Amino acid sequence: MSSASYKTSDFDYELPPDRIAQTPVEPRHNARLLVMWRDRPDLEHTIFWEIGRYLNPGDLLVVNETRVIPARLWARKPSGGRVELLLLKKIADHTWESLVGGKRVRPPMRLQVEGGPPAEVVAELGGSRRLIRFTEPIEPYLPQVGQMPLPPYIHEPLRDPERYQTVFAREPGSAAAPTAGLHFTPELIERLKAQGLSFAGLVLHIGLDTFAPVTEEDPTQHRIHTEWCELPPETAERINATKRAGKRVVAVGTTSVRTLETAARVAAPGEWVAPFVGPTDLYILPGFEFRVVDALVTNFHLPRSTLLMLVSAFAGRERILEAYREAIRLNYRFYSFGDAMLIL
């Protein structure tokens, strides 16, 4: 079916609240793994440490190397009132699109970041979004004054902020972690490499829009969020070589899928991807034709979300919802700190 045939309510499901993982599994690679095949009805249940059993020598795992920034700040209004700022996207050297928690925060109000520089509200962007311009770059202050912006459904404080970073994280810029990558450990990476698998990196900086449910009844009317991404030349070369050799490109996470399929849109004839740097507004719904991704490592996603629609496009809506029902029945853990799926 094409995307036009679906309603947003077709991507809904009931999740008992106690299935939402509040803390991560230790060690990371001990998370459970549900394995499903797109060409047969089987489901298998194992742990993430065993993922190599389902992959072949020569397969390439493509991972998102973004790093979550401690993007939650506090500032004071001229009246002394406290305002919460959540940095979403860097627009210019000193200017960020931000979510603002506080009343009557409008241009041209001046704010004083607690422990940081002064700032000015320069524009309203709808809802609680504001354009905030700092008097100097805010990044050097973040390690001291910022807090890690955990998703709204996680209520337990995080004892170790690094636990919300993947082992691949190197390029700061995300407001959320690429959670499929959270299951990898150095030991597992070495185990997979010894098996003849290889890894390549890309970057997509995740905004909090990724968690927002689709509110329009027709999902095609939803305004998809744009995110900055980069597929470097060396990764593009390795992907094209992998495909030419008849091996599989395994996307680790929906963010990797989005970047890879964006890079496919600018590929030369005879190639699968080309290097790409810039914003992507790619919206993947059922009916989408995947050009690059052969297999997908992913977590369990929120109802009515663009991420659930993406995995439904890859594996079929009915198959995905059937697998989710089975995962709920078997007490899998859902969302950012939850268990994983491998879709082949």
Side-chain angles (χ1 to χ4, degrees):
M1 288 171 70
S2 72
S3 58
S5 306
Y6 287 112
K7 297 176 180 177
T8 299
S9 53
D10 292 328
F11 300 92
D12 209 349
Y13 67 93
E14 288 293 324
L15 182 70
D18 64 355
R19 300 294 197 281
I20 301 173
Q22 295 296 316
T23 54
V25 166
E26 297 295 347
R28 296 167 182 247
H29 57 234
N30 274 6
R32 295 170 73 185
L33 178 66
L34 188 155
V35 184
M36 68 177 290
W37 287 261
R38 291 179 290 164
D39 60 355
R40 63 182 205 248
D42 310 37
L43 294 176
E44 284 192 19
H45 306 281
T46 182
I47 62 168
F48 203 83
W49 177 253
E50 299 294 340
I51 192 172
R53 287 170 37 201
Y54 305 92
L55 303 174
N56 302 321
D59 287 349
L60 179 68
L61 292 109
V62 184
V63 301
N64 187 356
E65 296 177 335
T66 189
R67 186 169 180 81
V68 186
I69 59 173
R72 182 169 275 126
L73 308 169
W74 280 265
R76 295 282 177 178
K77 298 192 283 188
S79 65
R82 206 169 190 228
V83 175
E84 182 183 356
L85 301 177
L86 183 58
L87 306 180
L88 294 181
K89 188 188 300 182
K90 188 175 181 179
I91 305 299
D93 276 353
H94 300 178
T95 307
W96 287 75
E97 179 186 330
S98 306
L99 280 180
V100 173
K103 293 178 179 175
R104 294 183 289 280
V105 181
R106 301 190 180 98
M109 180 179 283
R110 295 190 173 274
L111 301 170
Q112 176 60 53
V113 176
E114 295 180 359
E120 181 185 354
V121 183
V122 295
E124 295 189 53
L125 303 176
S128 57
R129 292 169 186 267
R130 301 289 185 272
L131 208 56
I132 306 290
R133 185 168 60 227
F134 300 93
T135 56
E136 58 184 288
I138 190 65
E139 291 91 327
Y141 292 94
L142 294 180
Q144 287 75 45
V145 304
Q147 286 190 1
M148 201 61 81
L150 291 178
Y153 46 74
I154 292 178
H155 309 299
E156 295 278 332
L158 190 60
R159 288 194 296 272
D160 176 12
E162 280 301 305
R163 196 56 185 81
Y164 194 53
Q165 306 282 8
T166 70
V167 294
F168 311 108
R170 61 171 184 82
E171 193 70 43
S174 273
T179 54
L182 290 175
H183 305 292
F184 288 89
T185 57
E187 300 89 341
L188 177 56
I189 292 167
E190 289 308 310
R191 175 180 163 108
L192 295 172
K193 286 179 176 177
Q195 188 186 315
L197 298 157
S198 56
F199 289 79
L202 51 76
V203 174
L204 182 141
H205 291 322
I206 304 165
L208 285 189
D209 279 338
T210 193
F211 298 111
V214 177
T215 54
E216 299 83 355
E217 188 51 26
D218 177 355
T220 63
Q221 298 303 305
H222 177 68
R223 188 171 169 222
I224 191 69
H225 51 286
T226 60
E227 293 170 317
W228 183 91
C229 64
E230 178 180 9
L231 186 78
E234 59 271 24
T235 297
E237 287 173 18
R238 295 182 63 195
I239 290 165
N240 288 323
T242 298
K243 300 289 273 188
R244 276 195 295 273
K247 303 298 183 179
R248 292 180 298 187
V249 171
V250 182
V252 177
T254 56
T255 57
S256 293
V257 173
R258 201 173 185 211
T259 307
L260 290 168
E261 296 297 336
T262 296
R265 298 198 289 188
V266 295
E271 301 286 339
W272 283 265
V273 293
F276 180 87
V277 180
T280 177
D281 61 356
L282 182 61
Y283 188 10
I284 297 178
L285 290 162
F288 180 84
E289 185 178 335
F290 291 85
R291 304 184 201 177
V292 188
V293 177
D294 300 302
L296 172 61
V297 180
T298 189
N299 280 25
F300 294 92
H301 302 293
L302 280 78
R304 304 173 78 101
S305 65
T306 59
L307 304 183
L308 183 57
M309 293 172 188
L310 184 153
V311 297
S312 296
F314 189 67
R317 184 191 73 93
E318 294 81 5
R319 289 292 318 283
I320 286 291
L321 292 179
E322 176 189 321
Y324 274 42
R325 283 192 292 271
E326 184 69 355
I328 292 167
R329 188 181 72 81
L330 294 175
N331 294 322
Y332 274 73
R333 303 163 83 249
F334 275 58
Y335 304 167
S336 296
F337 283 145
D339 296 316
M341 291 182 74
L342 173 62
I343 306 174
L344 298 165

